[in-house]
Amino acid sequence: MLPKPETLLGGLSAREFLRDFWQQKPLLVRQAWPGFQPLLDPETLAGLALEPEVESRLIRETADGWQLQHGPIAETTFQQLPESHWTLLVQDMDKLLPELQTVLDAFRFLPDWRLDDLMVSYAATGGSVGAHVDQYDVFLLQASGTRRWDIDRRPGAPLPERDDVPLRQLRQFEASDSWVLKPGDMLYLPPGVPHLGVALDPCMTFSIGFRAPTDEELLAELLQTLLESGDQPTFFTDPGRAPCKHPAVLDNGSLRRARELIRLRLARLDDRHLDRIFARTVTQGKPGFEDRAPDSSLSMDQLRQQLTAGCELSAHPALRVALLDDLPAGWCFIEGEEYRLDTERHAMLRTLTARRTVNGEDLLPWIDQPDCMTLLLELINQGHWELVGDEHE
Ligand code: SIN
Ligand code: CO
């Protein structure tokens, strides 16, 4: 059962948490998720780490120093692990075991596009990844066992990293705060706070990780969009130029005109263009999860029949979708692809994306609108949504 937002955030409302803590300062919440059940055991996690397409890491602290091994991890490696001082971490568990998506549902006071993944770690006693800093916001939910978290919340904490270990670890770390977390306890960390988590007994930690695009990613997308726009390029021109003084030197007139050429092209991008570039960037599919077309495709008749029969529609666990309103119409961005939507299709997509799973019944208002049904059928046949309780197969 999902905890109430006030329980999850230690008595704060989502609004208060976002105002006072999000991106600003750590928050420890005792019993954020009372009675939390991890929904998976360490064997399942290890089984996933055997798979080559799964992003996993095994980190060991030995007498010879730190060791990092990227997945796939061999079964024999697991059999030879010592009693203590190792951690297995697996990314994207929300996509690999979709039942874990319910954990993410508790964090839906933040927008979907901001969410990255659920990483699950299992550590033997003493296991740790060392003191480090992350660039992203993270909620560290203790799923089972006990872990001590040390953090350094002091402004100006030293951030230089070691260059003698295969991991990103801080050269120096001193804790300003230290807590022992038991199952259901949670620690929120904004980006840039040095932290160290050490398993006090065999334990599992769920990291609900967020993401934020960089200016470089946005600019790369902008350039890609410009190149694909089909617009005629504007050439540099220099009528009335003066004879050059030195043939190899870039003269001031040329430099000024080149700057103008770049600035004029950027000035032609209005706010909506930039908004769409942002939307395309943040909905780019997560590498490794692009392949999702179903084995068989659905016909329009089958779709209508299923919707009327009360089936459910479930978003693919790796789906990245965002809506951009231009009321009453808008755009929908799916895996970086842009769909211009008229009023009806926009209204349908708002309903479809309000939750991870929606009732077919909720889409009945559009069942007689051919454009809406064509789009819905396309999205299902591309594997972005799936009919649950689908009997056509
Ligand atoms: C862990 O789960 O052991 C590490 C999580 C983190 O510090 O980011
Ligand atoms: Co971390």
Side-chain angles (χ1 to χ4, degrees), residues 132 134 138 195:
H132 65 279
D134 294 314
V138 64
H195 56 284

Side-chain angles (χ1 to χ4, degrees), residues 129 132-134 138 140 149 189 195:
V129 303
H132 65 279
V133 163
D134 294 314
V138 64
L140 299 154
W149 282 105
L189 294 178
H195 56 284

Side-chain angles (χ1 to χ4, degrees), residues 286-303:
K286 183 132 190 179
F289 292 96
E290 300 93 345
D291 189 13
R292 63 182 67 162
D295 296 336
S296 65
S297 54
L298 200 67
S299 71
M300 185 58 89
D301 282 349
Q302 286 168 322
L303 171 62

Side-chain angles (χ1 to χ4, degrees), residues 26 31 41 62 72 111-112 119 129 136 140-142 155 191 221 288 296 361 365:
Q31 288 308 291
D41 51 31
T62 70
D112 291 346
M119 178 183 83
V129 303
Y136 302 107
L140 299 154
L141 176 64
Q142 196 55 31
E221 185 64 41
S296 65
E361 270 172 23

Side-chain angles (χ1 to χ4, degrees), residues 55-240:
E55 196 184 328
S56 63
R57 284 168 295 158
L58 179 63
I59 294 171
R60 278 177 269 190
E61 192 183 3
T62 70
D64 296 332
W66 290 89
Q67 287 175 8
L68 162 69
Q69 200 177 334
H70 286 283
I73 314 286
E75 215 162 339
T76 47
T77 307
F78 283 122
Q79 284 156 4
Q80 288 158 11
L81 281 173
E83 280 288 295
S84 70
H85 292 86
W86 57 265
T87 306
L88 171 69
L89 305 105
V90 182
Q91 300 292 148
D92 294 305
M93 287 297 293
D94 51 312
K95 304 165 191 82
L96 299 169
L97 295 182
E99 56 270 32
L100 293 177
Q101 296 245 343
T102 46
V103 177
L104 303 183
D105 285 343
F107 298 87
R108 286 239 140 72
F109 54 90
L110 285 151
D112 291 346
W113 72 265
R114 209 62 172 84
L115 202 53
D116 188 3
D117 75 333
L118 168 65
M119 178 183 83
V120 176
S121 72
Y122 177 76
T125 303
S128 151
V129 303
H132 65 279
V133 163
D134 294 314
Q135 297 306 319
Y136 302 107
D137 302 82
V138 64
F139 292 89
L140 299 154
L141 176 64
Q142 196 55 31
S144 67
T146 322
R147 183 184 283 278
R148 191 188 71 236
W149 282 105
D150 294 335
I151 69 163
D152 187 358
R153 63 161 83 223
R154 288 169 297 198
L159 299 180
E161 290 182 348
R162 290 172 67 165
D163 47 21
D164 58 334
V165 285
L167 296 160
R168 301 197 58 180
Q169 286 185 353
L170 293 168
R171 255 190 235 174
Q172 284 177 50
F173 175 76
E174 207 187 306
S176 65
D177 300 81
S178 184
W179 301 282
V180 172
L181 270 70
K182 298 223 164 76
D185 292 344
M186 186 173 76
L187 174 62
Y188 161 73
L189 294 178
V193 176
H195 56 284
L196 168 66
V198 181
L200 300 185
D201 47 43
C203 79
M204 201 181 271
T205 302
F206 279 28
S207 298
I208 297 97
F210 288 77
R211 66 195 178 108
T214 62
D215 53 354
E216 286 178 9
E217 285 171 290
L218 291 167
L219 287 169
E221 185 64 41
L222 180 144
L223 195 60
Q224 186 73 14
T225 310
L226 285 186
L227 294 176
E228 288 170 1
S229 69
D231 291 355
Q232 283 300 320
T234 310
F235 284 90
F236 174 94
T237 56
D238 52 359

